[in-house]
Amino acid sequence: MKKNTIQLVLILCVVVEALLVFRIMATTDIIYQELYGGLAILVMLTIIRLIHNLTDITYGNPEKN
């Protein structure tokens, strides 16, 4: 169950990331570009953390030994 939930959240994060990148390209105001850029960085960090958790669940964590 946890693995499926992480996969669904990853898909959602990728969609949000794509929307933020398109919003950055479509917006001419520098303030909104910075806002969307910051949000895109936070979503990217979330994606990295979720992938790390998913690989720990799938393959185990050898560092716990």
Side-chain angles (χ1 to χ4, degrees):
M1 179 66 181
K2 188 173 182 181
K3 183 177 176 181
N4 292 335
T5 306
I6 292 176
Q7 289 173 340
L8 289 174
V9 173
L10 272 171
I11 292 169
L12 179 67
C13 285
V14 169
V15 170
V16 170
E17 183 76 22
L19 290 174
L20 286 171
V21 169
F22 287 133
R23 292 291 296 189
I24 290 171
M25 291 188 295
T27 304
T28 57
D29 294 333
I30 191 70
I31 294 172
Y32 290 117
Q33 285 181 348
E34 294 293 327
L35 174 69
Y36 295 140
L39 290 173
I41 290 170
L42 287 175
V43 172
M44 186 62 66
L45 291 173
T46 304
I47 290 172
I48 291 169
R49 185 67 184 166
L50 286 171
I51 290 173
H52 181 267
N53 289 343
L54 186 63
T55 54
D56 281 349
I57 290 171
T58 304
Y59 301 110
N61 189 357
E63 295 176 2
K64 287 186 179 179
N65 292 336

